[in-house]
Amino acid sequence: SRLLNPETSSKLATKALQWNHLSHELLTQRRRLLGPTPPSTSAAYAAADDDNDDAKPSPEILLTLTEKMLSVNPDPSHLWNIRRELLLYVVPKVDEDTGIVSELNRPSVSIIPNIDIQSELKLTAHCLQRNPKAYSAWHHRKWSLVCYLTHPTPDDDSSTSSPKAKDSQQSHLINVKKILQSELELCAQFLQLDERNFHCWNYRRFVVALLGSCGGRGTSDTLQNQTVDLGVISDVNIFSGSWSPWLKHQSQVSMGAQLLPSAFALSSSQGEKCKGTHNIAKAIIKLSEAELEEIISNEWNFTNSKIQDNFSNGSAFHYRSKLLPLMLESRLASTHRVSSDESSGRLSPATRYAESLVFAREEWENILLNAIFTEPDDQTPWWYHRFIVSWMKPPAVVGDELVLEYETLLFEMADSLRDLLEVEKENSMLGNIVEGDESKGAKCKWAYIGLHMVLSTLLESKTLDEGEAANLRQEAGECLTELIKIDPNRSERYQNLAADIIRAQSGGISRIEGKLSNMLSGC
Amino acid sequence: MDEYDVIICGTDLIQSILSSALSRAGKRVLHCDGNEWYGGFDAVLSGGSTLHSFIEGCEQFSGESALEGKEFEIDEYDNGDEHVADTLLLRLLPRRKQGSLRLHSQTFKVVPKGSDVTENVTIEGPSQSTLERVSVKSENKKTIEEMTNDEGHIAENSSMKYDSSPMNETTFTNSPSIHSLEHGFCFDLTPSLLYASGDAVECLIMSGVSDYLEFKSLKGLYLLTDEEKSSVTREERRKGSTVVNDTIRSSNKKMTSYRVPCSKGEVFRSKLLSPVDKRRLMKLLQLISDYGMATQMEGDQSSNNASDDTSSVEPSLDRITQTGYDSDDLKNFPDGVTREDAITSINERYLHRGRALSRPQNKATPSSSEMDSLMLCVRENVSFSDFLTKVAKLPERLATVVIYAMALAKFDSWEPSKIGEDSDSMISTSQYSTKDGLDDLVRHLAALGRFGDTAFLIPMYGSGELSQAFCRSGAVYGSTYMLRRSPLAVTFGEGAHVQGVLLGGEGHIGGRDDLDTDDVSDRVVPCKHVVVPSTMLISQRGSKARTYRRISVLQGKLMLDEDNNKDDSDSGQRYALIIPPGTCGLDNKSVIHGLVVDDSAFVAPSGKNYTILHLTTSNQEGNSLPDDVFVNVLSETVKYLIANQGDGAPCFECNHISFSYCSYATNFGERDVAASGQPVGLHVCHRDMQSLTCDSSFREAHRIFRDICPESDFLAIAKKVEDTIVYRNENDSDDEKIVLESACTMMQGQSTEKSQVENLADNCTDADYVDSGHTS
């Protein structure tokens, strides 16, 4: 309706024309600037210098142009690509004293892309304010950060061996950390505005990974204490935003690599060119135990606060499910550091499992129970519940006591879910007017699914006596019958699950587990 | 003499809204007030001058508590003035007797003249803004001289009188520097909040009066109630030590303050509720939101096709339930609109409304049987508390929370006869019907999730700003304003038709001769309509229904809940507090509403760590309890709140003022006036007795407006003004346009400059260009 207003539409039309004109301009200028020849060859510079200037538009102008266009519309990824191309474009440097073009004398300077990290961060922040879900803007932000990390600033001395270089490297590291901390704050701000912005959650994990790769926040102190290894790793893959390189127990967690190394093909090919004179690698500092724990517990608390604000938040629960094993490790470490100073020996699986049961119970009582009862129709807590139930399954080696405890928790869950269904069923004092109507029953699909899952998990246990198992089996079956009524679109799936129960009963072996994962994918 | 269309007496909020609305509708309006400030009972008194003037006025009359005023009467005017001979007149209460205002205690010290003159010159912060100062911005600069004058004068008059003020309370020290701070305080006679979405906000936006005002969000709504052992969770057990601290002195029973869950997230977090209670509460609230939507939809429909809306409310509610949710009855929708479309559009329209509690998308519609039983309760006039406990199956304690903290049950909704005999809260609210409860609750729910954590907005510089803003806009539309001119009586002509208003002369204002005015004598100003507040009428003399209020200035922060410290970005205190009746320890007879505000809303001098606490309770019609009971409850509450600060920094009460007024004139206009000949053109507006929000004032103003101008739009912006506003908005910066244009000029400029660059061989130009590009 807004478009029907002639004034508004004419304004929009003008804007569209201007936009078209500008993008045309940009593309032609870019072709003229970068041309068919690769921009990095020195031949190109020579050609650029030989030709008259108006054939080669200045990259700064084009950069400004992309900046302006992107701040109007942050979405088109080709504009970001051009911007990156321009940023990597090697500017012939002019010696200020002599006015002589000096890139031939000092190639080490010229290969440093003229990326002003702050201006890129500012631009992307502006763009993201306009559209907080612009994929390409978030990607560019990541790219700029990694560029900044992998390439030293121009004031860095090129020889890494001298003490002065080491100092500047350290100060660079401190700068990086400042920037990364402010990035975390930016994430917090964006998530304040929209706590469900998964782009931002993704970026947050990326920043945390970089922070982990560069060492914790207290590094300036630890450096003085000489407790940190300074290893030089000349691999951009370190800064891909993946969590595994810096975590000590990488087996359990995969946060996913955030930037493919191929994204840096351009930058690394530039880097290779000057391997001899300039080492672009950054020091990677191994995290101390305390720093690791601090990072992880900060993130854990962050998800906590976001879930407290609004628990209908799949991203936060997902992050939490990833952090949970890490938190468990740091909890184990801290409790056992307190109890016995020698923590060198591996903890017994039983202790580990006992701790994880405690943890699972906390998650259930403090978060899940409240969330489920506040809004049982919201599926995100149910997914996390599903994760918790599968995560707390006892490994084969633990003793019966713990298995019993595990089952107690499952029974408690089942009881609470039954309560929930009870409350859902009680419609009103007039309920009997519409008695017999199938709509009268609780329509809470997720509670039935959850109860069924808890029951069938219980049925896998070997400690149940046969009578109890039969009851549980029957109840699980009832859940499924109810579900078929409530949710006829997925009736086949429920029938399949019901068949599983019968099969497990007749076969005497509980093989529901595999089917559970089918169930997950079916939702 | 010119005849006015309407003369409005008193500048309370209702009258101010009316004067703005009426002048917009093209009426000639004269708005007069005997005070020298705007706002009447809704005024905001600045700590220095107006407060003292107010106290002075109260003191004069507080002695004569049993007012020997006359009953409502229309009698012969015996002045002998030829203009008004042979007319009937209705006497209005003199300025200081309005609402039979009583001052119970106060500890503000009036400092003698001379010691503070120099301080007054450097007044900072908000001062009492008056209409003469139309521009909000220049408020502080003007009239300092005038204020100094006022202040000095009042101080001189009253310095003798207050030397004997109570000494057992801590008072402001006599040091002039502290005294000068008093000017930074804004004391609301009636502190009110606004629902973030509701009548008040709608009117403010519609009328453009919002341009004159600023608001902040209320940060929390707290319920102070008995602690219940059974709901103590693990969490609380861990914090056992702090819970014990909350024990009220000299009592074994405990009270705790809980944050009232105002959103899904807060229900989730709340420690007040067990999981099952959470589910029940959520079900109830969502059901009530649906009810609100259904009644709203019904309202829309009836306005759209008024022709077929001959049915009464009940059947149409039924119809809505059906059409909205379960039947495929399409006939009530216009052609081409299917039922699904209607629901979708309604969903979209109300997606924002009550978002904080709304269902997830996969569960968009409620069960029909629940709505049916709700409707049945509405029809059968079941009491709200019965509905909550028996139908919604909430435990009693939770029902109390819903009634007092969520529906914000108002005093005057109750059956008066029950109270006094039995202080049990559940019985006293038995006549609070489900319909009323639902309407109140819907109002609250509709405003949730709009702005901030609660449903409320708090006006900056005090809620008295509201009436001033409306008066200001009334003046823009041509109303005439007269302060210091008390309306003394309404005169009636033939057929008991309102003829005019007798305005008091200047000499009536306390014999002030320092004001540079001509001596004005009483005169009758003719008019067609008169708007009179019920507080000015004498007939309410017998009424016991009074509102008691205590305004306390606290030094320090009043922490209700230690969890609040997490919000470090805004450490300001803006909380509302509700104490249901019969809370043990206080044993209050009726609900107490509290408001805790500090300098973040600019009602206290900034940076000086003062907090203003307003506490309000009320006495009911037919209740014979003496004033002391209520006054004492309020002072006990202050003590309790201060004593239970928890770990916060110490906090004490510096000063307080405690007063009460009567605002409830029962059935005035209809019965009493009818007996004496049915005056035409007399409109009586009633203040709400005790209410956390001022939304009802807007409804009351709307009601009277409809009586006077049934055909005009309420508070509509005039076409001319609207055009100016649109024009102004159009010229607002379109940053996309600016950026694109600058980019275009840059690219054009580049080609021309390119040649310059070549010629001058000056490569720096490009760099400069980039710089300018960044800044633009």
Side-chain angles (χ1 to χ4, degrees):
Chain A
S1 61
R2 201 170 66 95
L3 296 176
L4 294 179
N5 184 349
E7 239 176 87
T8 326
S9 59
S10 75
K11 265 187 201 167
L12 287 175
T14 328
K15 281 187 203 169
L17 278 177
Q18 282 173 335
W19 175 268
N20 281 344
H21 167 70
L22 287 174
S23 40
H24 178 73
E25 190 84 354
L26 177 67
L27 289 176
T28 47
Q29 300 266 22
R30 171 191 167 261
R31 207 176 304 123
R32 274 204 278 166
L33 173 67
L34 303 171
T37 43
S40 51
T41 57
S42 53
Y45 304 133
D49 279 339
D50 293 346
D51 288 355
N52 49 2
D53 256 353
D54 52 10
K56 294 279 171 194
S58 105
E60 278 86 358
I61 292 227
L62 289 185
L63 274 178
T64 317
L65 183 59
T66 54
E67 179 187 315
K68 287 180 183 219
M69 292 181 75
L70 285 167
S71 64
V72 171
N73 178 7
D75 282 315
S77 53
H78 73 278
L79 287 183
W80 289 108
N81 286 340
I82 292 174
R83 185 172 178 83
R84 279 192 287 274
E85 218 171 35
L86 290 166
L87 285 171
L88 293 176
Y89 177 73
V90 182
V91 196
K93 284 278 164 172
V94 178
D95 194 305
E96 274 125 22
D97 299 332
T98 60
I100 294 166
V101 178
S102 59
E103 87 273 16
L104 292 175
N105 303 337
R106 294 175 57 194
S108 63
V109 177
S110 68
I111 64 99
I112 296 162
N114 54 343
I115 298 173
D116 175 4
I117 181 76
Q118 291 302 343
S119 77
E120 293 309 300
L121 292 181
K122 222 167 112 190
L123 172 65
T124 44
H126 176 80
C127 292
L128 289 170
Q129 261 173 1
R130 182 152 283 217
N131 177 8
K133 298 191 173 179
Y135 281 88
S136 23
W138 284 110
H139 179 261
H140 186 76
R141 205 174 172 86
K142 287 179 182 172
W143 180 87
S144 324
L145 266 187
V146 173
C147 271
Y148 181 66
L149 288 183
T150 48
H151 296 274
T153 47
D155 19 303
D156 271 2
D157 206 290
S158 45
S159 59
T160 43
S161 54
S162 73
K164 194 190 160 205
K166 202 171 175 185
D167 279 352
S168 78
Q169 208 174 36
Q170 279 175 14
S171 73
H172 177 66
L173 215 55
I174 288 162
N175 273 345
V176 165
K177 247 164 254 152
K178 258 186 217 148
I179 286 175
L180 291 177
Q181 287 297 340
S182 74
E183 289 303 291
L184 285 184
E185 274 157 34
L186 175 119
C187 283
Q189 274 178 22
F190 269 104
L191 291 174
Q192 183 76 39
L193 296 175
D194 176 9
E195 67 275 350
R196 304 208 281 193
N197 186 346
F198 65 86
H199 303 265
C200 190
W201 280 104
N202 193 18
Y203 183 68
R204 189 179 175 93
R205 286 200 302 277
F206 169 78
V207 172
V208 171
L210 292 190
L211 203 58
S213 307
C214 300
R217 50 165 66 157
T219 324
S220 52
D221 302 332
T222 45
L223 274 177
Q224 285 165 359
N225 299 338
Q226 300 293 315
T227 54
V228 196
D229 300 328
L230 276 171
V232 177
I233 302 167
S234 54
D235 189 355
V236 283
N237 292 350
I238 293 292
F239 297 106
S240 64
S242 154
W243 279 49
S244 33
W246 59 282
L247 289 173
K248 281 165 192 139
H249 21 254
Q250 37 187 289
S251 52
Q252 294 120 324
V253 192
S254 122
M255 294 280 180
Q258 297 267 337
L259 275 182
L260 290 174
S262 63
F264 297 95
L266 195 53
S267 60
S268 41
S269 73
Q270 295 229 334
E272 279 160 22
K273 225 185 72 184
C274 57
K275 266 244 161 86
T277 51
H278 189 90
N279 194 342
I280 59 156
K282 274 282 158 272
I284 181 163
I285 298 163
K286 288 206 179 105
L287 293 176
S288 73
E289 198 84 10
E291 284 165 347
L292 186 76
E293 274 169 29
E294 193 189 344
I295 289 180
I296 288 171
S297 74
N298 277 346
E299 292 307 293
W300 178 261
N301 293 337
F302 184 75
T303 60
N304 210 24
S305 74
K306 285 298 151 196
I307 288 171
Q308 295 287 319
D309 285 349
N310 177 5
F311 59 81
S312 177
N313 191 337
S315 307
F317 273 123
H318 167 251
Y319 196 13
R320 208 173 168 80
S321 73
K322 295 293 190 185
L323 288 169
L324 192 65
L326 301 179
M327 274 304 278
L328 178 67
E329 290 303 326
S330 62
R331 273 182 168 209
L332 282 170
S334 61
T335 49
H336 289 274
R337 209 180 296 142
V338 173
S339 61
S340 63
D341 274 327
E342 58 91 25
S343 58
S344 53
R346 284 287 289 170
L347 296 162
S348 76
T351 5
R352 295 180 68 88
Y353 182 65
E355 184 69 31
S356 66
L357 263 187
V358 172
F359 212 167
R361 179 179 283 278
E362 273 174 28
E363 290 295 286
W364 165 250
E365 282 181 355
N366 295 342
I367 291 183
L368 284 170
L369 195 59
N370 285 324
I372 285 169
F373 273 81
T374 305
E375 186 52 273
D377 294 320
D378 194 303
Q379 48 177 305
T380 42
W382 290 109
W383 289 112
Y384 189 56
H385 176 231
R386 192 166 279 277
F387 165 79
I388 288 288
V389 169
S390 65
W391 181 73
M392 68 182 198
K393 270 185 194 146
V397 285
V398 298
D400 279 353
E401 272 171 49
L402 286 172
V403 173
L404 210 62
E405 204 176 307
Y406 160 76
E407 278 166 14
T408 321
L409 181 52
L410 282 179
F411 273 118
E412 273 175 38
M413 284 180 178
D415 280 344
S416 300
L417 295 182
R418 284 181 200 124
D419 283 350
L420 173 64
L421 287 168
E422 259 332 287
V423 181
E424 284 296 287
K425 272 178 199 157
E426 61 184 37
N427 265 345
S428 60
M429 63 178 181
L430 307 167
N432 35 9
I433 289 179
V434 279
E435 191 76 70
D437 185 355
E438 66 188 76
S439 74
K440 189 223 155 219
K443 277 186 176 169
C444 186
K445 170 185 147 183
W446 288 97
Y448 280 115
I449 294 179
L451 182 56
H452 170 261
M453 182 200 57
V454 171
L455 293 177
S456 43
T457 316
L458 265 175
L459 282 170
E460 290 169 39
S461 166
K462 293 152 221 149
T463 55
L464 292 175
D465 64 57
E466 195 39 53
E468 206 172 8
N471 284 342
L472 292 182
R473 218 168 277 133
Q474 195 196 340
E475 198 182 350
E478 278 162 11
C479 284
L480 291 172
T481 353
E482 199 64 37
L483 276 170
I484 291 168
K485 257 192 267 171
I486 299 171
D487 187 18
N489 290 342
R490 293 175 191 79
S491 58
E492 290 298 327
R493 185 184 136 226
Y494 300 129
Q495 268 153 15
N496 195 23
L497 289 172
D500 280 344
I501 295 177
I502 294 161
R503 206 178 309 136
Q505 185 186 9
S506 58
I509 324 151
S510 305
R511 294 250 37 78
I512 298 180
E513 194 175 358
K515 293 300 169 190
L516 271 176
S517 54
N518 287 348
M519 192 163 138
L520 278 167
S521 56
C523 293
Chain B
M1 189 188 291
D2 285 347
E3 190 189 41
Y4 284 95
D5 291 319
V6 187
I7 294 182
I8 299 174
C9 305
T11 52
D12 302 43
L13 180 56
I14 299 173
Q15 294 99 299
S16 304
I17 298 167
L18 260 177
S19 78
S20 178
L22 289 169
S23 54
R24 283 156 197 263
K27 302 282 178 195
R28 292 200 64 204
V29 177
L30 175 67
H31 200 168
C32 53
D33 193 320
N35 289 316
E36 50 214 13
W37 58 80
Y38 282 89
F41 281 102
D42 293 307
V44 53
L45 303 179
S46 80
S49 50
T50 39
L51 176 70
H52 293 158
S53 181
F54 173 77
I55 291 171
E56 183 196 16
C58 293
E59 290 272 317
Q60 283 174 6
F61 287 97
S62 58
E64 350 165 359
S65 57
L67 266 178
E68 293 305 321
K70 293 176 210 166
E71 282 294 335
F72 167 76
E73 56 190 317
I74 292 180
D75 58 4
E76 292 283 325
Y77 187 50
D78 53 0
N79 195 314
D81 189 321
E82 64 219 72
H83 291 292
V84 287
D86 305 323
T87 53
L88 294 168
L89 65 128
L90 164 65
R91 287 197 182 279
L92 300 175
L93 282 170
R95 184 161 70 101
R96 295 304 186 194
K97 289 189 184 180
Q98 287 167 16
S100 62
L101 184 66
R102 285 176 211 159
L103 183 69
H104 299 294
S105 64
Q106 67 92 17
T107 58
F108 286 94
K109 195 139 183 144
V110 178
V111 174
K113 189 184 182 179
S115 65
D116 59 342
V117 175
T118 48
E119 259 74 27
N120 282 341
V121 183
T122 58
I123 295 167
E124 300 241 337
S127 57
Q128 179 70 16
S129 51
T130 59
L131 196 78
E132 292 89 68
R133 288 168 272 161
V134 171
S135 159
V136 187
K137 303 287 179 197
S138 64
E139 216 172 66
N140 291 332
K141 290 172 193 156
K142 277 183 77 179
T143 65
I144 284 175
E145 198 178 75
E146 189 186 305
M147 284 184 72
T148 317
N149 232 346
D150 288 353
E151 163 70 16
H153 180 78
I154 292 159
E156 195 171 46
N157 275 353
S158 48
S159 57
M160 303 299 282
K161 200 180 288 176
Y162 295 112
D163 283 343
S164 58
S165 60
M167 297 307 287
N168 54 344
E169 306 259 4
T170 324
T171 59
F172 272 123
T173 59
N174 286 326
S175 123
S177 62
I178 297 279
H179 175 70
S180 71
L181 281 177
E182 275 196 35
H183 290 277
F185 286 105
C186 301
F187 299 109
D188 271 319
L189 287 187
T190 307
S192 339
L193 304 169
L194 282 78
Y195 277 126
S197 154
D199 300 298
V201 165
E202 201 177 307
C203 288
L204 283 171
I205 293 171
M206 192 164 65
S207 61
V209 174
S210 52
D211 285 358
Y212 298 121
L213 296 163
E214 285 180 281
F215 298 91
K216 281 194 172 178
S217 66
L218 189 77
K219 282 169 67 182
L221 179 64
Y222 288 88
L223 182 76
L224 190 70
T225 183
D226 308 344
E227 191 187 334
E228 196 181 46
K229 285 279 162 27
S230 61
S231 78
V232 175
T233 59
R234 264 167 72 110
E235 194 73 16
E236 276 177 354
R237 247 179 279 134
R238 224 190 305 134
K239 293 197 286 184
S241 54
T242 58
V243 173
V244 171
N245 284 340
D246 286 347
T247 320
I248 189 161
R249 292 163 304 151
S250 75
S251 165
N252 290 329
K253 292 172 178 175
K254 290 176 177 179
M255 286 198 289
T256 330
S257 61
Y258 291 105
R259 197 180 164 92
V260 177
C262 286
S263 66
K264 212 185 262 182
E266 285 185 1
V267 172
F268 168 64
R269 284 198 295 265
S270 177
K271 290 161 197 152
L272 185 66
L273 309 169
S274 73
V276 173
D277 287 352
K278 286 184 182 187
R279 184 80 284 267
R280 293 212 165 104
L281 180 63
M282 283 301 294
K283 272 176 83 174
L284 174 77
L285 296 181
Q286 290 176 339
L287 180 66
I288 289 173
S289 300
D290 294 330
Y291 167 83
M293 234 190 248
T295 44
Q296 169 86 32
M297 191 161 87
E298 180 235 4
D300 290 355
Q301 273 195 354
S302 61
S303 61
N304 285 343
N305 40 3
S307 54
D308 64 26
D309 191 58
T310 49
S311 50
S312 66
V313 177
E314 290 170 17
S316 57
L317 281 180
D318 271 353
R319 195 184 65 201
I320 292 314
T321 347
Q322 285 173 4
T323 54
Y325 299 116
D326 53 4
S327 83
D328 48 1
D329 172 15
L330 300 178
K331 67 173 184 253
N332 287 309
F333 291 99
D335 290 340
V337 181
T338 65
R339 188 172 64 95
E340 284 76 15
D341 284 349
I343 290 171
T344 320
S345 66
I346 285 161
N347 273 348
E348 280 166 2
R349 242 167 69 208
Y350 294 101
L351 192 62
H352 56 279
R353 174 179 276 205
R355 171 174 249 157
L357 287 165
S358 61
R359 292 186 175 78
Q361 281 151 327
N362 61 1
K363 188 87 172 184
T365 52
S367 118
S368 55
S369 58
E370 285 175 22
M371 188 60 98
D372 286 346
S373 62
L374 177 70
M375 287 305 174
L376 193 76
C377 290
V378 171
R379 257 174 311 204
E380 292 185 350
N381 213 7
V382 178
S383 83
F384 193 43
S385 58
D386 280 352
F387 168 74
L388 293 177
T389 47
K390 293 182 185 138
V391 183
K393 295 203 173 76
L394 298 184
E396 276 207 7
R397 185 175 135 81
L398 189 53
T400 316
V401 175
V402 172
I403 290 175
Y404 291 104
M406 305 197 83
L408 302 174
K410 268 180 246 154
F411 191 81
D412 55 354
S413 312
W414 307 347
E415 180 71 14
S417 63
K418 296 270 174 100
I419 205 156
E421 299 159 14
D422 195 334
S423 63
D424 182 357
S425 62
M426 298 315 287
I427 291 177
S428 66
T429 55
S430 64
Q431 285 309 305
Y432 186 40
S433 76
T434 304
K435 177 105 178 61
D436 292 342
L438 289 179
D439 288 345
D440 287 340
L441 204 47
V442 162
R443 256 177 233 131
H444 191 169
L445 295 182
L448 282 172
R450 285 303 193 90
F451 184 65
D453 290 339
T454 63
F456 303 101
L457 301 179
I458 187 163
M460 289 169 56
Y461 309 104
S463 45
E465 287 289 310
L466 282 170
S467 44
Q468 293 183 35
F470 275 101
C471 288
R472 208 174 283 155
S473 89
V476 169
Y477 283 90
S479 285
T480 307
Y481 285 82
M482 297 178 87
L483 291 185
R484 304 187 197 93
R485 296 296 299 272
S486 300
L488 298 179
V490 183
T491 64
F492 295 95
E494 287 299 309
H497 201 291
V498 165
Q499 207 172 48
V501 169
L502 177 66
L503 282 186
E506 197 66 49
H508 285 252
I509 320 292
R512 303 273 302 269
D513 51 8
D514 58 320
L515 292 163
D516 185 21
T517 50
D518 295 335
D519 236 11
V520 182
S521 57
D522 298 359
R523 73 192 292 189
V524 172
V525 182
C527 65
K528 296 194 188 93
H529 295 272
V530 177
V531 176
V532 180
S534 57
T535 47
M536 282 191 188
L537 297 169
I538 306 171
S539 72
Q540 41 150 353
R541 189 187 61 90
S543 164
K544 288 279 190 196
R546 299 184 70 81
T547 302
Y548 296 84
R549 181 160 291 125
R550 183 187 177 100
I551 305 174
S552 301
V553 179
L554 307 181
Q555 170 82 64
K557 301 252 177 239
L558 188 68
M559 282 301 170
L560 295 172
D561 185 358
E562 54 263 44
D563 295 348
N564 289 315
N565 298 324
K566 66 165 189 171
D567 192 1
D568 41 304
S569 59
D570 179 8
S571 62
Q573 288 196 286
R574 298 186 301 277
Y575 305 116
L577 175 70
I578 288 163
I579 308 176
T583 297
C584 65
L586 290 174
D587 202 27
N588 46 328
K589 293 285 179 278
S590 46
V591 65
I592 299 175
H593 289 165
L595 200 57
V596 183
V597 194
D598 71 356
D599 58 345
S600 65
F602 298 104
V603 296
S606 65
K608 299 290 194 296
N609 204 19
Y610 285 109
T611 303
I612 296 183
L613 168 69
H614 297 267
L615 288 173
T616 310
T617 188
S618 45
N619 192 358
Q620 277 162 305
E621 193 78 39
N623 186 348
S624 55
L625 290 167
D627 288 349
D628 291 353
V629 173
F630 296 94
V631 175
N632 289 342
V633 158
L634 292 186
S635 75
E636 282 302 314
T637 311
V638 174
K639 281 184 197 152
Y640 170 77
L641 290 174
I642 290 173
N644 291 284
Q645 267 283 70
D647 309 332
C651 166
F652 59 91
E653 185 178 29
C654 309
N655 263 322
H656 80 271
I657 176 169
S658 175
F659 58 91
S660 69
Y661 58 85
C662 180
S663 61
Y664 200 68
T666 35
N667 299 329
F668 170 77
E670 296 76 23
R671 199 188 58 224
D672 296 354
V673 178
S676 47
Q678 189 64 43
V680 181
L682 179 70
H683 306 270
V684 180
C685 56
H686 302 275
R687 296 179 62 80
D688 227 347
M689 273 204 75
Q690 174 188 350
S691 169
L692 209 53
T693 64
C694 62
D695 288 48
S696 62
S697 300
F698 287 81
R699 289 193 289 277
E700 177 74 359
H702 197 171
R703 179 183 70 82
I704 295 171
F705 179 81
R706 272 200 310 267
D707 288 348
I708 298 177
C709 329
E711 71 290 340
S712 303
D713 287 340
F714 183 56
L715 283 173
I717 287 189
K719 186 78 184 101
K720 199 174 140 200
V721 181
E722 192 172 21
D723 287 348
T724 339
I725 292 170
V726 170
Y727 179 71
R728 198 176 62 193
N729 290 344
E730 290 253 314
N731 279 12
D732 269 357
S733 58
D734 179 352
D735 56 337
E736 287 187 7
K737 197 175 147 201
I738 291 171
V739 171
L740 282 175
E741 274 171 2
S742 81
C744 285
T745 46
M746 184 184 77
M747 294 315 287
Q748 278 165 10
Q750 193 208 351
S751 50
T752 54
E753 255 172 59
K754 186 62 49 106
S755 53
Q756 292 172 359
V757 170
E758 246 187 330
N759 293 340
L760 300 172
D762 182 4
N763 287 6
C764 294
T765 324
D766 283 348
D768 290 345
Y769 225 118
V770 173
D771 284 346
S772 62
H774 276 293
T775 49
S776 65

